[in-house]
Amino acid sequence: MLLFAQSYSQTKTTSNTHEKIKSILETYFKYDRENIHVQFNKDVYVTNEDIAFKGYVLNKNYDAPDANTTNVQLVIYDDQDQIIQKQLLYTTKGTFSGGIHLNNKFKSGTYHFHFYTNWMNNFNEDDSFTQAVEIINKDEPYNLKSNEPNWKTATVSIFPEGGNIIGQISNTVGVKIVDCNQKGIELQDILILDSKSNEISRFNTNKMGNGIFYFIPDTNETYTLKITNDKLKISQPLPITKDTGITLSYNNNLPKNILAVAVKTNEKGLESYNNKKFILMIHQNAQSVQKEFTFKNNETEQVLLFDKKYLANGVNSIRLIDENLNEITERLVYHYGNEKPITTLEAKAIANDSIVLSGKTNLKQANLSISILPGNNNCVQQKKSIQGTFYLDAYLEKPIKDNYFYFDPTNENRKQDMEALMLNQVRSKFSWDNLKNKPPKINFTYNKGVTISGKVEKEVGTKSEYKISLISLKDNVFEDTTIEPNGDFKFENFFAQDSTVFILQMVNQKNIVKYTKMQARVKPNESQFMLPLQFEKNVCPIEKKPENNFTFAKSPFEEDIVNLAGVTIQNTFKKEVLTHAKEVGLMANGFKIEDSDFGSVLDFLSRQGFRTGVDPEENTVYIRGSRDSFSNESPAVLIDNIQLFDLNLLFSMDISEVDEIYIDKTGSSNISVNAGSSILIFLKKGGSKNDYFRAKHTSLIVTTGFTKDINFKNAAFETQKEFFQFGTLNWTPNLTIKDNPNYELKIPKVGQKEIKVLIEGFTDDGQLISEYQTITVQE
């Protein structure tokens, strides 16, 4: 390959074709593009667990966290592609986090989590992120997954470099062998035979099922790939050898950071290609380097050298372009760039019930997420890495399911494995036809926040006389907007989280609140994904083996109840001192709220027999009487002796704000004649918000805003075996590394000898970290 390299290493492109190609790339990649990677704490869950995830959004053009992204849409599908749930996820500085509390309503099966943004709809290529998770019902036996491929469904795909096998020259041919679930099959001694059964070549495939062989074919001969062992017998003909054509080969392992690319044809090809001009271009997005060459002096192979400092990290496309801007062929090459040292991790038992995980990394200004699992946990079926998403899948036509294999520091052959993967691609995600003829048209916006809009029903006069104030006391929100002449108003690009209660009121130029009726609603800016969904599904027939069956233990509470004898009940009741008792009727029952009481006011009223909730159509709080105890009519509600006509204000009121509550089911304490019962609430001293309880405002409960992050909790398992197999020791979604490279996490000690640590994240300048480590717990 290096015989002719020096003759062409300094060749410069001076033709007009060079400028046209540069213009094509700059036009196509003009606009910013987002890539999303999501780390889950694991990918197999039992129905009493929490699914937790942390998302990272990278600006593809700048290789840095995307500062423009605020709205990420999550849509969850079942294995029948039916939508189960939607979430709008708030993203800041390129990260978001969230999850789901599972319950028995989730049936056993596979669910697909699809993350995307509205902006992604502007482009021809799919830059969204999907993750398949499996949910297990503990009431059903579970069949543990085997690492063994499904041998009966093995298929062989053949990938000649340049797309064709060409006669009379050395050909490099890629082979991929996978089962029906695209699981790679590792094999030894695969043979290439000619028509007389002579061995022409012999090769192996790696764990991902990828292999490479080399041979010089005869155009008058036919060749067969043959596999013969105790598990698999395949005989498959190779593609027909072509009389002529052009292939691309490269050497990516030369010293001095050099990439050598060889463009080859045969003697017959020289008749067609001699003295014609070609452009050899290497690019990722708009970043490119080009060299012009010709087949001259009757040389069938031309070698060009490139300094890899001009290559971007990740997949780069090598394209051979003729002077009419037609693509002859394409090869992919992966550039690892400067690899970062791995994180140092150490786990020590410090007490009877605790283990401390100590970590150290040389990264600064980093945002990380960490999942810690028991050592023999079987709930990470797919090992995806953030490098695999941003540097590999972002440029491949079909994403790689288990891409961590190509970045695992313990895989000493990862560079060779990556070269086999690059060969076994038909083309990159970005087709030359799209680059030339279908540049993006911007029809979709960057969705930012949600829109709160409404209409004032009363005539308000001139446009400048009044304005609408939006208030959330709990979240310290005070915003104003103008009222249009027709009474419409709007708050755009607003961060509104689900369950937030907003107060809307009309004020004049002197900031005096003027009562008016108004309607308000939240528009979530929900976006639909316009490209076809591409979910990887397990289609192999399930082969259940008795030795892989796992049965969950039943809870002891499901057994017969045992009556305990000799129980003594002591009366420790102390008479409550009710300070507002004289202000209400004798028929009211009074409750003194203690510091130990918890929950919301609505929770308290529910425990007293009322039915409370939010009407899903009206987005308003309701309080109704229990059919079993008293009238079904809505009671009158008073706060500090002021009647409350807007019950939405109770939605976010915590019981800790309340001093006393009186409930009169007879209505004798009620100042309103419209209800048969009364609820009188007295706030703690200094906590009264009477100005907001007067009917001079409209309230709004957000139900279609940003989804709240979950408060992740480890699920309880009946046995230690179950916990080791399926449990989570720790999930830390937002670990910030600033100037101190050291960090510590405390996890429970439950007898484990080893732990699995899964770390993902990126820095402010776009450096990536992704590690799967198994660590011994030191006593």
Side-chain angles (χ1 to χ4, degrees), residues 182-244:
Q182 301 304 303
K183 183 178 181 62
I185 297 178
E186 186 174 12
L187 292 170
Q188 306 292 321
D189 296 327
I190 303 171
L191 300 178
I192 303 298
L193 307 175
D194 64 13
S195 60
K196 300 179 180 60
S197 297
N198 297 315
E199 180 180 323
I200 305 300
S201 184
R202 182 187 294 256
F203 67 100
N204 306 323
T205 55
N206 60 18
K207 287 175 60 177
M208 304 303 285
N210 294 315
I212 301 175
F213 70 90
Y214 310 88
F215 79 132
I216 301 176
D218 187 333
T219 54
N220 298 316
E221 183 61 89
T222 58
Y223 302 91
T224 302
L225 180 148
K226 191 168 186 178
I227 302 170
T228 304
N229 58 40
D230 57 343
K231 295 182 178 179
L232 191 61
K233 290 179 172 54
I234 291 179
S235 181
Q236 181 165 319
L238 266 59
I240 297 174
T241 302
K242 300 291 184 180
D243 289 337
T244 188

Side-chain angles (χ1 to χ4, degrees), residues 555-563:
S555 170
F557 297 105
E558 297 177 10
E559 304 297 331
D560 294 337
I561 297 174
V562 178
N563 292 319

Side-chain angles (χ1 to χ4, degrees), residues 460-466 483 485:
V460 295
T462 62
K463 179 180 178 181
S464 59
E465 186 177 353
Y466 294 98
I483 304 175

Side-chain angles (χ1 to χ4, degrees), residues 39 47 57 87 111 207 255 289 370 432 471 505 548 587 601 611 656 698 704 721 723 740 754:
Q39 179 193 6
T47 47
V57 187
Q87 292 187 7
Y111 294 80
K207 287 175 60 177
V289 56
I370 299 179
W432 182 247
I471 302 169
Q505 57 189 18
N548 290 337
M587 302 302 294
V601 170
R611 288 180 296 142
S656 62
T698 296
T704 54
K721 179 181 179 182
F723 180 77
N740 185 355
E754 289 184 333

Side-chain angles (χ1 to χ4, degrees), residues 2 49 102 120 161 206 241 288 541 641 657 702 766:
L2 295 177
E49 291 190 283
L102 292 177
M120 290 179 179
E161 60 180 359
N206 60 18
T241 302
S288 68
N641 289 321
E657 302 176 49
V702 179

Side-chain angles (χ1 to χ4, degrees), residues 697-717:
H697 63 266
T698 296
S699 65
L700 174 68
I701 299 176
V702 179
T703 58
T704 54
F706 289 102
T707 303
K708 282 187 174 182
D709 195 357
I710 66 169
N711 182 18
F712 179 83
K713 294 181 179 180
N714 292 333
F717 289 85

